[in-house]
Amino acid sequence: MGIFRRGDRRDGTDVPRDAEFTFLSEAEGARLRALVREAFAQRGIEVTVEPGRVITHLGWRLGLDNIAAVCHNDSRGPRRWQALVDEHVDRVVRSLNGPQALKALPREQLLTRLHPRFISSDPKRLKAFGYGPPSVPGLLEVLALDLPQTVDMLTGDALSELGEMTALRDRAFQNLRAVRVDKHEVLRDKDGTRVDVLTGGSYFVASLALVLDEVVRRYDKDASAAPHGVLVALPHRHQLAFHVVRDAGVAPSLQALAGFAARGYEESPGALSPSVFWWHEGRFTHVARQDGARLNVELDQEAMELTARFMGA
């Protein structure tokens, strides 16, 4: 009968895990990479498959993080992976083969699509994408075009053809403020935990951290100006979670945020950071990261004094 078809079920957690994507088993990781190689080959593109990416014959380096997370999170199981991979590769190929947006669209139309975006701070990316101001530790702030089929990150060289950097960033921030948040949840517990979670289909939901003061005022009516700062997690591009520091609830909320960030980072497409940051007076500082069951907290002197003040209240 159909329900017993081989491959419909995921491997259990008791089998060896894939070294690159630990949410997959070794066999599932191998299957995913084989599907990706086959999908590119069917479209006339030969690729070299590495653990976390593929490299095309033209030298394009394309990460596998997104498609691995999409397959992992699809509840229909491995029988759907081929269709998911085909859809993903089709989008990638359209992006590679299509006209370059900077040359194909009028400048004013490009400016309406310009947004700031976070990407991981890979040293290999610094030359092309290290032009943004420092903001969140471990992440790079870049400018990207929100196109119908893709989101194209712009290199420093490409931006120089579009205009002056300060003016471009100002326009990108105007567009960012209009990004749609599809869902706002408030997670509470009797121990004082309160975490606000913003989620959306936009690739720029996490980027809202760049206008965090405005976001907090919009979604937490009791926050006022947040004089003691805000704890922030950016697990992936579609999510932003925060806790306004106001009382002893900071300790359990930090624990909750750390677990939330770690899970979202491991399991979701567009992964950004498993860490929790403290935003205070416009600056982000790394404060915690959960490794397994252990919470590693790293507070600077200012953060320690603030925490001690609340915990002693």
Side-chain angles (χ1 to χ4, degrees):
M1 294 177 63
I3 60 173
F4 295 110
R5 287 178 299 177
R6 185 177 181 180
D8 283 2
R9 295 185 178 181
R10 295 289 304 275
D11 291 339
T13 57
D14 56 336
V15 300
R17 313 314 295 167
D18 185 84
E20 185 73 19
F21 306 116
T22 56
F23 47 79
L24 302 178
S25 70
E26 282 186 357
E28 289 170 341
R31 178 180 181 180
L32 175 65
R33 294 180 182 91
L35 289 172
V36 170
R37 180 188 289 108
E38 180 182 353
F40 274 106
Q42 289 174 348
R43 291 154 180 79
I45 301 175
E46 295 300 321
V47 297
T48 300
V49 180
E50 297 183 351
R53 66 180 182 178
V54 298
I55 303 176
T56 74
H57 64 289
L58 296 176
W60 288 92
R61 289 168 168 77
L62 310 168
L64 296 177
D65 306 68
N66 287 357
I67 187 57
V70 166
C71 288
H72 168 65
N73 289 324
D74 194 291
S75 61
R76 294 168 292 185
R79 69 180 182 276
R80 285 288 303 166
W81 287 10
Q82 182 169 347
L84 294 173
V85 169
D86 284 342
E87 293 170 5
H88 176 79
V89 172
D90 277 339
R91 286 194 297 270
V92 170
V93 171
R94 282 197 297 268
S95 175
L96 296 179
N97 290 340
Q100 294 185 10
L102 286 175
K103 297 179 181 178
L105 297 176
R107 182 175 183 276
E108 187 55 36
Q109 191 173 142
L110 290 171
L111 293 178
T112 65
R113 298 176 178 274
L114 196 64
H115 292 74
R117 181 182 177 185
F118 289 125
I119 59 174
S120 60
S121 184
D122 186 329
K124 297 177 182 177
R125 290 175 162 176
L126 287 176
K127 183 176 180 180
F129 299 109
Y131 54 80
S135 52
V136 179
L139 299 178
L140 296 176
E141 180 194 324
V142 303
L143 296 183
L145 291 173
D146 188 13
L147 302 172
Q149 297 293 338
T150 62
V151 172
D152 287 356
M153 295 184 297
L154 300 178
T155 64
D157 290 341
L159 285 167
S160 66
E161 301 177 11
L162 191 57
E164 193 271 327
M165 181 65 74
T166 300
L168 292 176
R169 191 167 181 265
D170 288 344
R171 185 62 180 270
F173 271 57
Q174 291 179 28
N175 298 333
L176 174 64
R177 291 180 172 93
V179 164
R180 176 178 174 178
V181 172
D182 298 325
K183 188 175 184 181
H184 171 221
E185 295 179 277
V186 181
L187 310 179
R188 299 177 186 268
D189 202 343
K190 59 185 180 182
D191 63 2
T193 296
R194 173 180 169 140
V195 174
D196 289 70
V197 181
L198 308 181
T199 307
S202 169
Y203 276 44
F204 307 105
V205 173
S207 303
L208 289 168
L210 293 168
V211 288
L212 191 61
D213 53 340
E214 299 174 27
V215 169
V216 167
R217 287 196 298 269
R218 185 185 310 167
Y219 291 101
D220 186 343
K221 303 304 182 184
D222 300 325
S224 183
H228 305 301
V230 183
L231 297 177
V232 186
L234 308 172
H236 56 88
R237 65 194 178 207
H238 299 289
Q239 203 163 61
L240 164 66
F242 67 88
H243 167 79
V244 177
V245 179
R246 51 165 67 89
D247 53 34
V250 63
S253 297
L254 174 60
Q255 180 80 56
L257 269 173
F260 181 85
R263 290 190 299 273
Y265 177 78
E266 288 292 334
E267 298 177 357
S268 303
L272 290 176
S273 176
S275 298
V276 179
F277 306 95
W278 179 42
W279 177 88
H280 188 232
E281 297 181 348
R283 184 171 65 94
F284 289 91
T285 305
H286 177 273
V287 293
R289 176 171 177 167
Q290 183 162 318
D291 294 318
R294 180 181 178 184
L295 178 65
N296 294 322
V297 179
E298 303 171 5
L299 303 180
D300 62 15
Q301 186 63 36
E302 185 178 11
M304 284 191 291
E305 291 174 357
L306 178 65
T307 302
R309 185 191 321 161
F310 283 128
M311 297 312 294

